[in-house]
Amino acid sequence: MKLGIVGLPNVGKSTLFNAITNAGAQSANYPFCTIEPNVGMVSVPDERLEKLAEIYTPDKFTPAVIEFVDIAGLVKGASKGEGLGNKFLANIREVDAIVHVVRCFESDDIVHVEGSVDPLRDIETINLELIFSDIEIAGRRLDRATKALKGDKKLQGEVDFLKRLIDHLEKGLPARSLEIADDDEAEILNTTALLSAKPVIYACNMSEDDFTNGIEANENYNKVKKLAKAEKAEILPICAALEAEISGLDDEEKKMFLEELGLERSGLDRMIQKCYSLLGLISYLTAGKPEVRAWTIKKGTKAPAAAGKIHTDFERGFIRAEVISFDDFISCDGNMVKAKEKGLVRSEGKEYVMNDGDIVLFRFNV
């Protein structure tokens, strides 16, 4: 999974990236500090995987990973090439989802590129640049479909949808907020590769006082929350400065720090959970002495395709999957023999739909 972190200059974007990846991206109080996208790999925290590691003491421990890309600050006119905009838009095109960092805190020490803090204005600035690019892309596809319509009347539905899509975009609305009538329209949207159709998490960068006093007291946060609901986007209250402090602590210190703030998990953990939910992802697990590992798949994936994540031969020669849920396995004290005696290990065929937390052994023959 590849997530692009975007935002206007000086909203805390690179500070947040540094905190969650410890990648050391340059952070400074002026625009265009980040020019080449910084990339950091982050392990997905999974208590189930850690528990399996305790049981098996494996030679290799492999959690799922997320790739974060810190994309340089966008400005007005990016879709026309302003501020190296074309390159930045190309970087966004390559990610699975967007983490849009929005400044919701006041500070005299950190200048804002627009001179004042207004998260809805900032969101509109970036959204419009993505939308302008999308109008051009959707327009080119509409031209092709309209020409082809003369010889193939089956394309009428595509032409009608693209006209409705462009009308929606020209109102300044992102493609992800467009109501989709059926699977055909969904397929057209998915294959048009629009930037504003990508799933978005609005990461509201707030002050430490906001977390102490209650995030709902921050009016800027409430405004973004309302917008996110209308756009079918996710929202994540976060404090980049706090995340920077937390990133240097060990697990025990981190836990105490978060408890003092009344938080159960770090911003990174909450962000990853949001991303999995937003993209419809789950994890299945493989466990044994050689390796304990998490594998990320889409919800609704059937067993053969899930096996193919490990190796294409597993999918091609799939025979069956021996499956037990993590909870059932732990209820048997992590003893697979005991679990089999209780009938908790199931033999599943090609039509089995994988569940989050399944512990699986695939049988195959090629």
Side-chain angles (χ1 to χ4, degrees), residues 27-288:
S27 178
N29 188 21
Y30 55 87
F32 306 122
C33 172
T34 311
I35 296 176
E36 292 300 324
N38 295 280
V39 178
M41 304 297 288
V42 176
S43 297
V44 176
D46 192 330
E47 293 178 358
R48 301 169 304 188
L49 203 65
E50 292 171 7
K51 185 67 179 176
L52 291 177
E54 289 176 16
I55 294 168
Y56 285 99
T57 58
D59 299 329
K60 191 176 180 183
F61 178 82
T62 312
V65 295
I66 292 179
E67 182 177 338
F68 282 95
V69 182
D70 178 22
I71 298 168
L74 290 171
V75 294
K76 285 180 180 177
S79 60
K80 304 298 181 186
E82 293 292 330
L84 305 179
N86 289 334
K87 188 167 185 177
F88 303 156
L89 292 174
N91 294 146
I92 295 172
R93 204 171 299 285
E94 295 173 0
V95 303
D96 299 307
I98 297 168
V99 178
H100 185 160
V101 183
V102 187
R103 180 170 167 178
C104 292
F105 68 91
E106 299 283 351
S107 173
D108 294 332
D109 298 326
I110 302 174
V111 298
H112 191 289
V113 71
E114 295 287 350
S116 63
V117 175
D118 183 344
L120 296 188
R121 177 203 59 211
D122 294 353
I123 288 171
E124 182 181 48
T125 297
I126 287 185
N127 277 354
L128 284 177
E129 295 308 321
L130 304 186
I131 288 167
F132 290 152
S133 174
D134 287 348
I135 290 171
E136 187 178 336
I137 291 168
R140 288 202 298 264
R141 178 161 180 174
L142 176 60
D143 288 342
R144 292 195 301 271
T146 302
K147 290 174 183 175
L149 179 62
K150 296 173 183 176
D152 186 357
K153 297 303 179 185
K154 293 178 183 177
L155 291 173
Q156 186 63 57
E158 179 174 340
V159 169
D160 292 343
F161 173 72
L162 288 169
K163 286 179 178 178
R164 185 161 68 88
L165 170 63
I166 292 170
D167 181 61
H168 181 82
L169 293 170
E170 287 178 341
K171 292 175 182 174
L173 301 170
R176 64 180 167 273
S177 67
L178 180 66
E179 291 297 329
I180 303 300
D182 52 37
D183 291 342
D184 289 341
E185 290 191 352
E187 178 64 17
I188 296 166
L189 185 62
N190 290 337
T191 55
T192 309
L194 301 180
L195 298 174
S196 70
K198 288 185 180 291
V200 168
I201 296 174
Y202 287 118
C204 293
N205 191 12
M206 303 164 73
S207 69
E208 186 173 342
D209 287 343
D210 286 321
F211 280 85
T212 304
N213 301 330
I215 57 174
E216 300 292 343
N218 184 311
E219 282 305 310
N220 285 324
Y221 168 75
N222 291 326
K223 290 175 184 176
V224 179
K225 186 177 180 180
K226 184 177 179 181
L227 177 71
K229 185 176 180 181
E231 279 192 7
K232 302 177 185 174
E234 288 278 2
I235 186 169
L236 175 73
I238 199 165
C239 175
L242 277 178
E243 294 299 316
E245 289 185 55
I246 292 171
S247 67
L249 302 177
D250 62 35
D251 289 344
E252 193 59 38
E253 290 174 325
K254 188 181 295 184
K255 184 178 178 182
M256 291 173 60
F257 192 103
L258 291 171
E259 284 177 352
E260 287 178 12
L261 291 169
L263 299 172
E264 294 181 6
R265 289 167 298 175
S266 70
L268 172 61
D269 290 357
R270 289 182 288 118
M271 183 185 296
I272 290 173
Q273 184 184 44
K274 292 270 188 185
C275 290
Y276 266 64
S277 172
L278 195 64
L279 293 170
L281 301 175
I282 61 172
S283 293
Y284 76 84
L285 315 169
T286 53

